[in-house]
Amino acid sequence: MEGDTLGYSLFWDEAINQLRSEISEQEFSMWFSGMSYVGCNEEAITVSVPSYFYRDQVKQRYLTRIEEKLQELSGRNFSLDFEIRPARQSEKPVPTQPTTQPKQNAKRGKPHPELRPEYTFENFVIGENNSFAANAAMAIARNPGTGYNPCLVYGGVGLGKTHLVQSIGNSVHHEFRDLKVVYVTAENFTNEFIRSIREKKMHQFKNKYRYADVLLIDDIHFLQKKTETQEELFHTFNALYDANKQMVFTCDRPVSELRELADRLRSRFERGLNVDLQPPSYETRFAILKKKMEAAGVQIPEEVISLISANVTTNVRDLESALTKLIAYAELVNKNITLDIAKQQLKDVFSNPKQSNISIDLIQRQVAEYFGLSTNDLKGKKRTQVITFPRQLAMYITREITEYSTTEVGLEFGGRDHTTVMHACQRIESRMRTDATLEPTIQNIIRTIKEKSAR
Ligand code: ADP
Ligand code: MG
């Protein structure tokens, strides 16, 4: 290898720059930030990458384009050679894809106490809605701490965030036995932190989190307003980051949309790779149902699967619960599942799904418009009856048709306390009992909201 003596690295730099302008920044950072130029000779340019997985992905996605660019720029035919960098000392040879069913847990060593064993990559169906996040997660699992660090996965309720980060945890736990994987929800992190202060066991808390090799924190939107926990996480983050330990976070929205989060923590979350999960398409919903059905060991006619796929459009959790409901019924009455039974049993599910991908913002806009107010009125401090009632109604509707918690709803309504939201819902419910016109009004508004949110 001649290093840079031929000056061909210029061609390489330029080719990569061109490619960068053609793909998204996210994609670029995903596949090229972990790659470095090694050297070249007359025929080939050599780069190094962190893993075989990474090499194969880059080859599949970009090899032709890069080689074409190199040829245009230099007038010669360069091929691109890949070297795999030894990532860390404890790394074992890259595991090959399991060829058998992932039922071999007994052979794979002890399950991880904080992770659900069924949350694995093998059980995660990849579709166009999640392939980017899934590929990033798999790359991380093969080479924790070396490439995409930190990684933040965001997306609405029931779209697979927890499944995906736990898959990373399970995979690392089984493939790299000497690495310590720690999984925690932001809520439990907060509770443990508070308890450790109260019981004067801070060092125990710090030991747990600062000696993790892979730290997975689920649902960081929960940290909003928890200033001291944020501060603690900030220090944990820095300690792990400096030690090249892998961190993966999940959030129900892009970090930029989180309120009540310290800027320095926000910028840490945004530092690495941010990937999103979208609701699955019809085809992916169908594939997910088939997989779940096989896992459950039941037979369900294709027409029933397509019926469910067509009608449950919100997220994977709703899809699963429709299927579970159907299976439970069939077992209970000891009947085969037919199209008629499915239609009958899932009537309610189809007509009134919790439309969890509806945004609070949309609800606020709709309610405000209905009452001739602005969304700022709903979020603001004024307590005149003209505003209070619509505000309470908007909170009530949010609780009815989304899965946001009272805490989250409170935050979105001008940083109000969760008890305020609970109180608002009670007020509306008691008014409905005395005022018969209210219920149809509410249904009317909900219908408009759902229509607007269905793309
Ligand atoms: P989130 O954490 O985003 O709310 P979860 O990870 O809890 O969502 O997913 C909800 C349910 O849907 C889980 O049971 C999970 O296994 C399942 N699920 C989500 N995405 C997929 C997928 N792509 N393939 C298979 N199952 C999925
Ligand atoms: Mg989750």
Side-chain angles (χ1 to χ4, degrees), residues 59-231:
K59 274 189 165 177
Q60 255 181 40
R61 292 161 190 256
Y62 309 108
L63 186 61
T64 333
R65 266 157 93 181
I66 296 177
E67 287 183 346
E68 276 171 15
K69 290 187 191 304
L70 286 172
Q71 191 188 1
E72 270 172 33
L73 289 161
S74 67
R76 351 169 29 120
N77 271 326
F78 280 116
S79 66
L80 196 57
D81 286 349
F82 293 85
E83 269 178 24
I84 313 297
R85 279 197 296 277
R88 55 164 74 235
Q89 280 168 350
S90 59
E91 191 186 358
K92 293 199 268 169
V94 171
T96 46
Q97 279 286 6
T99 45
T100 47
Q101 288 300 308
K103 292 236 164 63
Q104 353 149 328
N105 277 348
K107 223 181 74 195
R108 301 172 87 192
K110 280 207 188 94
H112 189 290
E114 289 147 358
L115 299 172
R116 292 177 60 161
E118 73 273 23
Y119 283 173
T120 60
F121 290 125
E122 290 89 339
N123 293 341
F124 192 83
V125 175
I126 299 184
E128 69 305 315
N129 60 310
N130 61 23
S131 67
F132 196 53
N135 280 318
M138 288 191 280
I140 287 169
R142 309 233 165 180
N143 259 312
T146 55
Y148 318 119
N149 200 22
C151 174
L152 183 119
V153 181
Y154 66 91
V157 175
L159 293 180
K161 301 184 293 295
T162 299
H163 189 138
L164 209 50
V165 286
Q166 291 211 8
S167 299
I168 298 177
N170 273 318
S171 169
V172 173
H173 177 71
H174 290 295
E175 303 296 343
F176 304 89
R177 300 229 176 134
D178 47 348
L179 295 191
K180 187 177 163 208
V181 175
V182 177
Y183 168 87
V184 69
T185 60
E187 182 168 7
N188 284 341
F189 184 85
T190 306
N191 294 341
E192 279 177 36
F193 174 63
I194 294 169
R195 199 177 323 128
S196 77
I197 296 177
R198 199 174 52 223
E199 296 175 0
K200 302 203 166 45
K201 288 185 177 154
M202 258 323 271
H203 64 282
Q204 230 162 303
F205 179 86
K206 289 200 159 95
N207 275 349
K208 173 168 177 189
Y209 292 104
R210 298 202 187 166
Y211 290 102
D213 294 298
V214 176
L215 176 61
L216 311 166
I217 303 189
D218 209 351
D219 295 331
I220 57 156
H221 47 271
F222 184 86
L223 296 172
Q224 290 178 107
K225 280 198 158 174
K226 314 273 185 314
T227 13
E228 278 164 40
T229 311
Q230 285 180 25
E231 163 125 18

Side-chain angles (χ1 to χ4, degrees), residues 183-381:
Y183 168 87
V184 69
T185 60
E187 182 168 7
N188 284 341
F189 184 85
T190 306
N191 294 341
E192 279 177 36
F193 174 63
I194 294 169
R195 199 177 323 128
S196 77
I197 296 177
R198 199 174 52 223
E199 296 175 0
K200 302 203 166 45
K201 288 185 177 154
M202 258 323 271
H203 64 282
Q204 230 162 303
F205 179 86
K206 289 200 159 95
N207 275 349
K208 173 168 177 189
Y209 292 104
R210 298 202 187 166
Y211 290 102
D213 294 298
V214 176
L215 176 61
L216 311 166
I217 303 189
D218 209 351
D219 295 331
I220 57 156
H221 47 271
F222 184 86
L223 296 172
Q224 290 178 107
K225 280 198 158 174
K226 314 273 185 314
T227 13
E228 278 164 40
T229 311
Q230 285 180 25
E231 163 125 18
E232 178 58 28
L233 180 57
F234 175 75
H235 294 300
T236 307
F237 185 108
N238 291 343
L240 292 178
Y241 189 80
D242 291 342
N244 283 325
K245 303 299 188 185
Q246 180 70 49
M247 287 173 279
V248 185
F249 305 100
T250 74
C251 187
D252 69 353
R253 64 202 97 164
V255 181
S256 58
E257 287 173 22
L258 285 178
R259 290 162 212 175
E260 316 285 350
L261 186 74
D263 283 341
R264 57 182 191 168
L265 191 54
R266 185 195 312 277
S267 74
R268 294 292 183 292
F269 289 141
E270 284 174 338
R271 186 181 283 175
L273 181 69
N274 285 212
V275 290
D276 69 333
L277 290 171
Q278 293 290 331
S281 66
Y282 172 84
E283 287 76 16
T284 309
R285 298 199 291 273
F286 193 93
I288 290 174
L289 283 174
K290 277 214 106 154
K291 184 137 199 162
K292 305 269 172 199
M293 178 189 100
E294 280 157 20
V298 290
Q299 291 287 334
I300 296 176
E302 297 251 317
E303 51 183 8
V304 172
I305 300 194
S306 50
L307 175 81
I308 305 177
S309 309
N311 285 284
V312 181
T313 55
T314 45
N315 63 52
V316 186
R317 186 171 299 155
D318 293 347
L319 209 54
E320 270 185 345
S321 61
L323 186 67
T324 310
K325 186 167 178 195
L326 206 54
I327 294 175
Y329 174 82
E331 281 176 358
L332 200 65
V333 300
N334 206 3
K335 276 190 190 162
N336 285 332
I337 298 167
T338 62
L339 193 57
D340 283 341
I341 290 185
K343 278 184 183 156
Q344 173 62 31
Q345 285 306 308
L346 297 177
K347 218 168 38 201
D348 298 344
V349 178
F350 293 166
S351 68
N352 187 21
K354 282 242 173 194
Q355 295 272 2
S356 13
N357 52 354
I358 292 176
S359 73
I360 297 185
D361 183 57
L362 174 65
I363 298 173
Q364 289 171 336
R365 273 185 282 131
Q366 253 353 90
V367 174
E369 184 179 316
Y370 187 87
F371 289 97
L373 300 168
S374 76
T375 53
N376 283 337
D377 291 331
L378 299 181
K379 292 187 261 187
K381 298 267 173 266

